[in-house]
Amino acid sequence: MFDLCVGLGQHCESTYQIRRITGQESAHFFDWLEIDLVFVQQALDTDFQVLLDPGRMALMTDGEGAIDLGAGIEFYHEFHAKPDAKLTLEDVEEQLPAVREKLAFLARRWRELVASPQRVLYVRQDANGVETAADLERLQTTLRERYPGHDFAILWLRRTTPDDLDKLPPGIACREIPLLEGRWQGDDAAWDELFATLPFDELWP
């Protein structure tokens, strides 16, 4: 078993489902963030220092959120438009200090977690099916090298089985989680089945 389940992006679906299934309420750094794996790596490599610098923010093309162009993080929940108006870049810049403070707090929580004796199951949801076994192995190596003694495993979730599944090292397991059209939270039944049948022999061999 594990003590804590922590999402590593890429989609809000995983945050919602982890909280629903485990009952965990504490927020973690990558919760609710749309973030490609390369930028998860960047956040770890820089110890979360390259974040929310003024002048690097832009609006998402749908106008529903903002993106940190340097950190590669899409924010759909942290920045808010004025009543009866659309989100503007001015809104984003005004709210930057508060959001930066929140992320700094979550970065401190991350550092405390990886220094603790807790066994952590990380969940990386590759909703677009673009990541490879080598990408996940690099993530595993980064976590091991940056946080010696940290007890963790990685669950890699995709919509389809990757071609290089046989190249995954021990400590990483890959499973499929289907897309449920029209519901960003995902398929509750599929997630329940996933957590009821976690492959602990692959995660902690």
Side-chain angles (χ1 to χ4, degrees), residues 6 33 48 50 67 80 114-115 119 177 181 192:
V6 175
L33 299 182
F48 304 98
V50 184
I67 181 170
H80 307 284
V114 296
R119 171 173 279 194
I177 202 77
E181 293 287 352
D192 287 341

Side-chain angles (χ1 to χ4, degrees), residues 9-11 13-14 123-127 131 157 159 177 191:
Q10 164 198 24
H11 197 275
E13 175 185 346
S14 55
V123 176
R124 171 62 190 177
Q125 186 178 16
D126 177 16
E131 296 161 13
L157 301 181
R159 303 302 187 195
I177 202 77
W191 279 87

Side-chain angles (χ1 to χ4, degrees), residues 21-177:
I21 293 168
T22 67
Q24 295 172 192
E25 296 182 355
S26 295
H28 295 281
F29 188 89
F30 297 103
D31 287 357
W32 308 114
L33 299 182
E34 296 277 342
I35 181 170
D36 291 340
L37 187 56
V38 63
F39 292 110
V40 174
Q41 284 282 168
Q42 176 176 291
L44 299 178
D45 290 340
T46 62
D47 193 32
F48 304 98
Q49 298 302 311
V50 184
L51 285 170
L52 298 178
D53 289 339
R56 293 196 321 192
M57 302 299 296
L59 296 179
M60 297 299 299
T61 54
D62 59 11
E64 297 296 324
I67 181 170
D68 181 331
L69 297 173
I73 301 175
E74 299 174 19
F75 298 92
Y76 283 96
H77 304 280
E78 283 74 15
F79 297 99
H80 307 284
K82 294 179 174 64
D84 302 317
K86 292 185 177 181
L87 184 68
T88 67
L89 195 55
E90 182 180 36
D91 294 330
V92 172
E93 294 290 342
E94 287 177 355
Q95 295 167 41
L96 268 182
V99 177
R100 190 183 296 114
E101 183 177 350
K102 172 187 173 182
L103 291 184
F105 169 80
L106 293 176
R108 290 193 297 272
R109 175 172 285 174
W110 172 276
R111 297 183 193 106
E112 292 170 359
L113 171 65
V114 296
S116 77
Q118 294 187 89
R119 171 173 279 194
V120 180
L121 175 62
Y122 291 112
V123 176
R124 171 62 190 177
Q125 186 178 16
D126 177 16
N128 296 328
V130 297
E131 296 161 13
T132 67
D135 295 330
L136 271 292
E137 185 173 13
R138 182 187 172 209
L139 174 64
Q140 181 189 60
T141 299
T142 298
L143 289 166
R144 284 178 172 170
E145 291 181 349
R146 287 197 64 85
Y147 315 116
H150 182 36
D151 185 3
F152 73 93
I154 300 172
L155 181 62
W156 180 28
L157 301 181
R158 292 173 49 103
R159 303 302 187 195
T160 58
T161 301
D163 295 335
D164 54 358
L165 181 62
D166 61 329
K167 294 182 172 58
L168 279 180
I172 305 175
C174 182
R175 291 295 184 271
E176 292 182 33
I177 202 77

